[in-house]
């Protein structure tokens, strides 16, 4: 037994720091020569209310011991990965390739071992750890989380709105017929466009989540974020990063009003972004414009200031977004292609145009979503690969970037602007939704002064090209002119 204990201690050391959270269930034991070419059940109990299960296996592979891995719930077979994987996840919305998404019934489950090889006198310790998402606890999600696609802080380019065969995306088949377009075509087009991340937002469903899990290991330079476009009769909104399917049926018994939908989105760990909010609603685009009374704009993370470049007018959401900023809501402005065909022929929106460029601590789903929340974000309207916009407001020795707040005790502030990738153009300073001043690109120093009285509220910077065509759209820096209340 001492040898088994030593082997188990060694197995614990193999667990990576990122996956070191405590398991909800742990089963240990050993594989011996008597297990050779047999099947072995490792039982565990699942309580009611579990929303995701992740299983992780570690075992001593000395003496060429091999363990294949699968799982059964109390009623049926749920998947098999053989010796390919050491962990898997299952949820109603998605599962690891080789496993079946669906309801997670409470009761006695079992991990299924197959042992194709165990030498006659071998003793191989194993450890099975089971993690649950339940209530506010997300152990299972943490145990299956991918490592960052890229480490380190920086600006990351992405597209946050697109569709494929899991909803209404279509493309030409091999014979030239119009068919539902497979998801891999969309992901491949995003990779070819040089993007760092995308959110796939099929309408009202989570059926594409498992496919994203399958594609992510191959596309290891492109972060794939699960999303959904919630299409209601009073408006469309994207949600990003949800842990499960979200009931979209506003007006039904389950979702009586928009407040209930917003609660459901928050409970699924997602963020909410209102899509093409200023479009008219009607038979041409049913429910496209956002008209829901009772919307809690404090729970809205982002607004599509630009939806595609084929929407008419493409900047219809800009004034809608500025209005919400003027009402005191701190909402990040984004731009998205709303792509429905990765081939993107004439008159269609190519993936990555426009692009949303996010400053994030790393290229991972939590970091990109946190970056959108923080608001150090700009829109590259034409979806280039190199245009950059960095903005800071300076008051004395204090400075604040886009999305941040700066107190303004001084009578005058400076808005510092750094633009790259644009040869000629105009820097446009916006104060509370209106143009305040302009400065030709290349002017030295690249700073725009603004009086405190004009700045109070928020300021932002856009970059214009010929005929005032918007090239880059910046997010606000918030200017606090009133003293913070004492506590």
């Amino acid at each position: 037994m001492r040898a088994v204990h030593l082997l188990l201690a060694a197995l614990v050391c193999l667990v990576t720091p990122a996956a070191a959270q405590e398991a909800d269930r742990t089963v240990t034991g050993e594989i011996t020569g008597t297990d050779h070419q047999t099947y072995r059940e490792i039982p565990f109990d699942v309580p009611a209310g579990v929303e995701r299960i992740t299983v992780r296996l570690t075992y001593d592979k000395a003496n060429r011991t091999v363990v294949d891995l699968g799982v059964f719930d109390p009623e049926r077979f749920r998947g098999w990965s053989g010796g390919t994987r050491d962990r898997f996840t299952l949820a109603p919305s998605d599962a690891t390739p080789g496993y079946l998404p669906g309801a997670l019934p409470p009761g006695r489950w079992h991990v299924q071992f197959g042992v194709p090889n165990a030498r006659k006198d071998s003793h191989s310790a194993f450890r099975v750890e089971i993690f649950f998402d339940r209530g506010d606890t997300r152990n299972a999600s943490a145990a299956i989380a991918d490592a960052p696609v890229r480490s380190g802080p920086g600006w990351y380019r992405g597209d946050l709105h697109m569709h494929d065969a899991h909803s209404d995306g279509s493309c030409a088949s091999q014979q030239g017929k119009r068919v539902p377009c497979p998801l891999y075509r969309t992901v491949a087009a995003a990779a070819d466009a040089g993007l760092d991340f995308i959110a796939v937002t099929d309408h009202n469903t989570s059926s594409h989540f498992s496919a994203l899990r399958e594609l992510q290991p191959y596309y290891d330079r492109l972060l794939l974020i699960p999303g959904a476009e919630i299409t209601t009769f009073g408006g469309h909104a994207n949600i990003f990063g949800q842990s499960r399917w979200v009931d979209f049926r506003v007006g039904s018994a389950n979702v009586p009003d928009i407040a209930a939908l917003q609660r459901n989105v928050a409970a699924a760990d997602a963020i909410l972004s209102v899509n093409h909010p200023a479009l008219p609603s009607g038979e041409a685009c049913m429910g496209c414009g956002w008209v829901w009374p009772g919307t809690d704009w404090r729970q809205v993370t982002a607004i599509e200031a630009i939806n595609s470049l084929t929407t008419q007018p493409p900047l219809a959401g800009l004034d809608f977004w500025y209005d919400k900023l003027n009402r005191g809501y701190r909402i990040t402005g984004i731009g998205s292609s709303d792509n429905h065909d990765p081939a993107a022929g004439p008159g269609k929106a190519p993936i990555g145009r426009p692009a949303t460029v996010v400053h994030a601590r790393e290229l991972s789903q939590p970091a990109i979503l946190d970056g959108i929340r923080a608001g150090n974000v700009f829109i590259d309207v034409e979806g280039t690969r190199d245009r950059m916009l960095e903005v800071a407001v300076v008051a004395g020795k204090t400075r604040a970037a886009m999305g941040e707040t700066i107190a303004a005790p001084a009578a005058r502030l400076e808005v510092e602007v750094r633009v790259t990738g644009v040869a000629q153009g105009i820097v446009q300073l916006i104060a509370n939704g209106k143009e305040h001043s302009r400065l030709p690109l290349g002017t030295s120093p690249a700073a725009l002064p603004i009086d405190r009285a004009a700045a109070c509220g928020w300021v932002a910077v856009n970059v214009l090209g010929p005929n005032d065509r918007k090239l880059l759209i910046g997010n606000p820096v918030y200017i606090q002119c009133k003293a913070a209340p004492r506590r």
Side-chain angles (χ1 to χ4, degrees), residues 215-233:
L215 292 169
Q216 183 66 86
Y218 179 81
Y219 288 96
D220 54 3
R221 292 195 292 263
L222 175 66
L223 175 67
L224 308 180
I225 299 174
E229 183 170 14
I230 301 298
T231 52
T232 75
F233 303 134

Side-chain angles (χ1 to χ4, degrees), residues 1-11 29-30 60 121-126:
M1 288 297 295
R2 175 174 171 76
V4 173
H5 289 156
L6 290 173
L7 286 171
L8 287 172
L11 290 176
E30 66 173 347
D60 178 21
D121 297 323
S122 65
H123 293 268
S124 298
F126 71 80

Side-chain angles (χ1 to χ4, degrees), residues 280-364:
S281 292
E283 291 184 351
C285 190
M286 291 177 286
C288 284
W290 193 267
V291 296
W292 278 116
T295 301
D296 184 354
W297 291 99
R298 296 169 300 177
Q299 303 302 317
V300 175
T301 302
I303 289 175
E304 276 187 345
I306 306 179
N307 173 266
S308 148
L309 296 184
T310 62
T311 301
Q312 295 300 322
L315 299 176
L318 188 62
D319 288 341
F320 188 98
W321 171 44
Y322 282 177
D323 175 72
K324 296 298 176 286
L325 295 176
N326 285 340
R327 294 171 183 267
Y329 300 109
R330 299 193 173 190
I331 300 174
T332 301
I334 62 172
S336 305
S337 70
D338 201 354
N339 176 269
H340 284 69
D341 180 353
K348 297 181 179 178
I351 290 173
R353 188 178 184 193
T356 297
V357 190
V358 180
H359 194 274
R361 62 183 179 273
E362 63 187 14
L363 185 53
S364 68

Side-chain angles (χ1 to χ4, degrees), residues 124-444:
S124 298
F126 71 80
R127 182 183 187 90
V128 176
E129 296 171 289
I130 301 102
F131 304 85
F132 300 142
D133 282 359
R134 189 182 185 202
D136 294 332
T137 303
R138 293 290 182 262
N139 286 344
S141 293
I144 202 65
D146 293 321
V149 173
R150 196 180 314 159
S151 300
W155 290 98
Y156 296 106
R157 295 176 182 270
D159 190 342
L160 293 163
H161 190 167
M162 60 194 66
H163 302 274
D164 61 275
H166 290 265
S167 59
D168 57 348
S170 65
C171 59
S173 72
Q174 290 180 321
Q175 297 185 44
K177 299 176 183 178
R178 203 75 196 164
V179 297
C181 202
L183 175 60
Y184 82 88
R185 290 283 310 278
T186 291
V187 177
D192 290 343
L195 296 177
D196 299 308
F197 66 89
I198 58 171
V200 181
T201 54
D202 286 305
H203 293 281
N204 297 331
T205 189
S206 59
S207 65
H208 53 297
F209 290 7
S210 292
L212 290 173
R213 286 192 181 277
E214 180 181 355
L215 292 169
Q216 183 66 86
Y218 179 81
Y219 288 96
D220 54 3
R221 292 195 292 263
L222 175 66
L223 175 67
L224 308 180
I225 299 174
E229 183 170 14
I230 301 298
T231 52
T232 75
F233 303 134
H236 297 186
N238 279 338
I239 58 175
F240 308 125
Q242 61 270 39
S243 58
R244 55 177 171 79
W245 176 76
V246 172
D247 196 337
F248 58 91
R249 298 170 295 171
V250 179
S252 69
N254 288 340
V255 192
D257 53 26
I258 194 64
L261 174 65
Q262 291 187 275
R263 289 193 297 270
N264 291 346
V265 170
D269 308 314
I271 63 174
L272 181 73
S273 175
V274 171
N275 295 344
H276 40 70
L279 290 185
S281 292
E283 291 184 351
C285 190
M286 291 177 286
C288 284
W290 193 267
V291 296
W292 278 116
T295 301
D296 184 354
W297 291 99
R298 296 169 300 177
Q299 303 302 317
V300 175
T301 302
I303 289 175
E304 276 187 345
I306 306 179
N307 173 266
S308 148
L309 296 184
T310 62
T311 301
Q312 295 300 322
L315 299 176
L318 188 62
D319 288 341
F320 188 98
W321 171 44
Y322 282 177
D323 175 72
K324 296 298 176 286
L325 295 176
N326 285 340
R327 294 171 183 267
Y329 300 109
R330 299 193 173 190
I331 300 174
T332 301
I334 62 172
S336 305
S337 70
D338 201 354
N339 176 269
H340 284 69
D341 180 353
K348 297 181 179 178
I351 290 173
R353 188 178 184 193
T356 297
V357 190
V358 180
H359 194 274
R361 62 183 179 273
E362 63 187 14
L363 185 53
S364 68
Q365 178 178 302
I368 291 297
L369 298 187
D370 284 347
I372 294 171
R373 291 184 185 98
N376 196 2
V377 173
F378 68 90
I379 303 167
D380 185 339
V381 177
E382 296 181 348
T384 72
R385 300 191 182 198
D386 59 353
R387 288 177 180 169
M388 290 293 302
L389 173 62
E390 296 177 275
V391 178
V393 175
V394 180
K397 296 182 178 180
T398 306
R399 56 191 295 118
M402 290 183 288
E404 296 178 341
T405 301
I406 189 169
R412 193 174 177 87
L413 299 93
E414 296 285 331
V415 182
E416 296 181 350
V417 183
R418 182 172 179 266
V419 178
T420 56
V422 181
Q424 292 182 327
I426 297 292
V427 174
Q428 179 190 44
L429 178 60
I430 302 293
N432 299 299
K434 304 294 183 183
E435 181 178 298
H436 176 271
S437 57
R438 293 182 170 215
L439 184 71
L441 273 176
T443 301
S444 183

